[in-house]
């Protein structure tokens, strides 16, 4: 459903406005019934709550289900509030992606800062379980950027930040430092492990086993004599 169609569907018609006759009990289409159960957002939290709801909608149902109505229902607010904050579906997509970038970078496990191979991405399996919608959202937008190239700069920004955090931690672990190619290989392995656990191709034990092997390889590399890497 397009935005214009969705907006028109929510607008009251001249004859079938959904208003209950005077004195009658509220019907399914009445304003009272429509707003019943909606929660009132605190000052300043409306936009953030809607962005979190958008991430959940996309993560659970896919990008094609991201509509004003779906976000409103997920957030427990009125349809009009979503329209007020974003104005267009494109704006909702772009701002929810920017929100996902902020959240992902603030909670990234790539950089514990210890320089110990055994601490590298500790807690990854728990993160996949606890933030499944957020992780699925990022993969949905990654694929969408292939079709909508205007999203590619933001998706690249997200992954560039991931790559940089991974490189910093690998430089702490490896005396010789990490080459860009090695960093990309390590991150690609992590990205694949997350995707496999998220989709059910692998389970938590498989992810933990893969991480153990990756950490063992990093430990071996950290023990090699220091040589310059290209």
């Amino acid at each position: 459903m397009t935005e214009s169609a969705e907006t028109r569907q929510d607008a009251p018609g001249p004859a079938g406005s959904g208003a209950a006759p005077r004195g009658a009990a509220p019907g399914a289409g009445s304003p009272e019934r429509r707003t019943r159960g909606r929660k009132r957002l605190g000052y300043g939290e409306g936009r953030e709550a809607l962005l979190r709801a958008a991430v959940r909608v996309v993560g659970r149902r896919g990008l094609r289900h991201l509509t004003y109505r779906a976000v409103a229902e997920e957030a427990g607010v009125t349809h009009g509030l979503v329209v007020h904050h974003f104005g267009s579906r494109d704006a909702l997509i772009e701002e929810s992606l920017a929100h996902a970038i902020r959240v992902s970078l603030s909670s990234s496990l790539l950089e514990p800062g210890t320089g110990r191979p055994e601490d590298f991405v500790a807690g990854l399996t728990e993160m996949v379980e606890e933030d499944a919608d957020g992780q699925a959202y990022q993969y949905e937008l990654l694929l969408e950027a292939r079709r909508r190239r205007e999203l590619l700069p933001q998706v690249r920004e997200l992954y560039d930040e991931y790559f940089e955090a991974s490189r910093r931690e690998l430089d702490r672990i490896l005396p010789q430092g990490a080459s860009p190619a090695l960093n990309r290989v390590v991150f690609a392995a992590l990205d694949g492990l997350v995707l496999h656990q998220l989709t059910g191709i692998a389970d938590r034990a498989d992810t933990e086993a893969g991480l153990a092997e990756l950490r063992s390889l990093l430990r071996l590399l950290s023990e090699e004599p220091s040589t310059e890497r290209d």
Side-chain angles (χ1 to χ4, degrees), residues 124-164:
L124 185 73
T125 52
E126 290 83 357
M127 181 272 292
V128 177
E129 293 174 346
E130 294 170 4
D131 187 34
D133 293 337
Q135 298 305 308
Y137 172 91
Q138 293 181 43
Y139 289 117
E140 287 279 349
L141 267 293
L142 183 63
L143 291 174
E144 185 66 15
R146 182 176 181 269
R147 296 181 287 267
R148 298 180 50 187
R149 306 307 283 179
E150 67 271 18
L151 295 177
L152 190 57
Q154 285 180 288
V155 173
R156 277 181 171 163
E157 178 186 350
L158 173 63
Y159 273 80
D160 284 346
E161 293 286 352
Y162 281 154
F163 290 143
E164 184 60 23

Side-chain angles (χ1 to χ4, degrees), residues 3-59:
E3 295 168 32
S4 58
E6 181 178 348
T7 303
R8 288 196 302 271
Q9 186 172 343
D10 283 348
S17 64
R22 184 174 300 175
S30 72
E32 180 179 343
R33 181 64 176 270
R34 287 199 302 267
T35 58
R36 185 178 299 164
R38 302 293 190 189
K39 64 182 179 181
R40 186 182 299 276
L41 299 175
Y43 177 78
E45 71 170 346
R47 178 177 291 270
E48 287 297 308
L50 293 174
L51 291 173
R52 292 193 297 270
V55 169
R56 292 194 298 272
V57 168
V58 174

Side-chain angles (χ1 to χ4, degrees), residues 2 13 22-23 28 76 80 86 103 133 157 189-190 214 219 221 225:
T2 63
R22 184 174 300 175
F86 301 104
V103 171
D133 293 337
E157 178 186 350
L190 296 174
L214 179 58
R219 189 175 299 107
L221 289 174

